[in-house]
Amino acid sequence: MFGDSLKNMVAVTDRHSAYFAINFLSHQVCLAHLLREIQYLNELDKNQKWSKDLENLLQEAIHYRNEHPTEVVETKSWLDRLDSILQQNVDHLKKAFGT
């Protein structure tokens, strides 16, 4: 139905595996779905701070974009913060944190 146009589109999805079998230009996970999953992790283990740090970063990024809708954002500092969080070892936390 879409022909060759899918290869020029970015798919914003809920991480359902079927979407990743389609040949899109790129994939982006929906921020609302990520934040809902992070909230689950916050409630799963209230004593950890990993998911809270990730939630804060995403909320700050969303707020920044909302406050500066036309600005070209330098992504390095945001990506550095994200990488720092994602590289933390979560093996000591419940399995859901690793997935």
Side-chain angles (χ1 to χ4, degrees), residues 46-61:
K46 295 180 189 302
N47 295 319
Q48 57 77 38
K49 69 181 223 86
W50 182 87
S51 61
K52 293 172 189 149
D53 290 344
L54 183 55
E55 179 182 35
N56 288 336
L57 173 64
L58 293 179
Q59 288 179 339
E60 286 177 40

Side-chain angles (χ1 to χ4, degrees), residues 1-11 22-26:
M1 177 176 219
F2 291 101
D4 290 335
S5 64
L6 289 179
K7 66 182 179 187
N8 299 317
M9 296 179 187
V10 175
I22 301 171
N23 189 23
F24 289 104
L25 174 67
S26 188

Side-chain angles (χ1 to χ4, degrees), residues 28-39 50-66 78-79 81-82 85-86:
Q28 178 179 326
V29 178
C30 170
L31 288 174
H33 283 90
L34 283 175
L35 288 169
R36 184 173 57 206
E37 183 70 19
I38 291 168
Q39 184 59 42
W50 182 87
S51 61
K52 293 172 189 149
D53 290 344
L54 183 55
E55 179 182 35
N56 288 336
L57 173 64
L58 293 179
Q59 288 179 339
E60 286 177 40
I62 292 167
H63 178 72
Y64 189 89
R65 172 48 72 204
N66 288 340
W78 294 101
L79 292 174
R81 286 178 61 193
L82 178 61
I85 294 168
L86 294 178

Side-chain angles (χ1 to χ4, degrees), residues 51-95:
S51 61
K52 293 172 189 149
D53 290 344
L54 183 55
E55 179 182 35
N56 288 336
L57 173 64
L58 293 179
Q59 288 179 339
E60 286 177 40
I62 292 167
H63 178 72
Y64 189 89
R65 172 48 72 204
N66 288 340
E67 294 293 314
H68 307 92
T70 61
E71 182 178 322
V72 175
V73 178
E74 172 56 50
T75 59
K76 183 171 178 1
S77 64
W78 294 101
L79 292 174
D80 287 348
R81 286 178 61 193
L82 178 61
D83 285 344
S84 176
I85 294 168
L86 294 178
Q87 290 174 3
Q88 292 177 24
N89 186 339
V90 293
D91 290 345
H92 63 287
L93 299 173
K94 296 181 179 179
K95 183 180 178 181

